Amino acid sequence: RPLRKHPRELQIDLASLLSIDHVCEGCNKGEKCCCAMYEVCVTAAEMKRIIRVLPEATKFCSHLETGDGYDNVFEAVGQGLFAIDTTEDGLCLFAFRSKNKIRCSLHAAAASLGLPLEQVKPKACLLWPIMFSEGKELLSLTEDALSFSCNSKRGKTFCRLSPSLVEAISLVYGSGMGSALEREARKGCRGRITL
């Protein structure tokens, strides 16, 4: 994939990203789950992309469908920014259970429709456990990343990023960015870098 448009300066806390392995296989009941721990906000453009796949997402989350259409799962929180609603127990409305694991209906809808994930899922969800700050964008590991079973601390210094983190960065910023980070890590960079 070609490199997507990204901020003029993208700062990356490479040391934090190199410190963990991340493998998402869905959360078991009772486990701490990213789908229930954060308020996920989307832009108007992301909201429109999600709305286009609601009919397919509803096949996995029947609660998204109402008698006369689809549930409004977005709440305006600022100019051009919308929060995805949650259930009473805090679980994202796009989450569903399959084989005793929590899964994402947007992820499943993208796979079912043959769409790239970045055309369906919000940026925040694609990048997690990487967090980003707006403006001069900074990518870093979320502070509580190691409290989730999908993340594990590496015992020694690695010169390669966890493949799933490279994939996430590539989905959001383009494969050129994922490759550039890999090169910097192999060169021995361990601090904050700017690409």
Side-chain angles (χ1 to χ4, degrees):
R1 294 183 186 122
L3 186 63
R4 284 171 191 65
K5 183 179 177 185
H6 60 83
R8 215 177 299 162
E9 281 192 356
L10 181 61
Q11 295 182 17
I12 300 110
D13 180 357
L14 195 51
S16 72
L17 300 187
L18 285 165
S19 71
I20 69 158
D21 281 311
H22 172 72
V23 178
C24 178
E25 297 174 338
C27 298
N28 292 309
K29 187 174 183 175
E31 284 183 333
K32 189 173 179 180
C33 181
C34 64
C35 297
M37 296 303 298
Y38 305 101
E39 178 180 61
V40 175
C41 293
V42 297
T43 63
E46 288 176 311
M47 183 175 68
K48 287 177 187 173
R49 290 196 300 265
I50 291 169
I51 289 170
R52 283 197 315 259
V53 300
L54 269 178
E56 193 66 25
T58 300
K59 293 177 183 176
F60 304 94
C61 287
S62 59
H63 62 266
L64 294 173
E65 195 167 13
T66 64
D68 58 349
Y70 301 102
D71 192 10
N72 178 11
V73 300
F74 301 102
E75 179 182 336
V77 292
Q79 190 169 347
L81 202 58
F82 305 86
I84 297 175
D85 283 340
T86 59
T87 62
E88 287 181 12
D89 59 355
L91 190 62
C92 174
L93 282 179
F94 290 112
F96 71 100
R97 291 205 184 277
S98 174
K99 298 179 182 173
N100 293 322
K101 300 267 188 180
I102 295 174
R103 306 283 184 189
C104 173
S105 65
L106 297 177
H107 194 114
S112 178
L113 296 169
L115 295 171
L117 286 175
E118 67 273 19
Q119 289 182 14
V120 178
K121 288 184 78 169
K123 177 180 178 179
C125 298
L126 286 169
L127 285 174
W128 195 89
I130 301 170
M131 67 175 186
F132 61 94
S133 58
E134 295 297 340
K136 273 191 174 177
E137 202 154 325
L138 170 66
L139 300 182
S140 183
L141 200 60
T142 59
E143 290 180 13
D144 61 347
L146 290 173
S147 64
F148 295 84
S149 64
C150 56
N151 300 315
S152 58
K153 186 165 182 60
R154 290 175 161 179
K156 58 181 181 171
T157 303
F158 277 75
C159 61
R160 295 193 67 108
L161 291 163
S162 179
S164 63
L165 299 183
V166 174
E167 178 185 7
I169 290 166
S170 295
L171 287 173
V172 174
Y173 299 104
S175 59
M177 187 61 71
S179 300
L181 274 178
E182 283 283 78
R183 283 192 303 277
E184 292 298 318
R186 281 194 300 272
K187 286 194 289 189
C189 293
R190 294 290 173 269
R192 185 177 288 190
I193 63 169
T194 302
L195 294 176

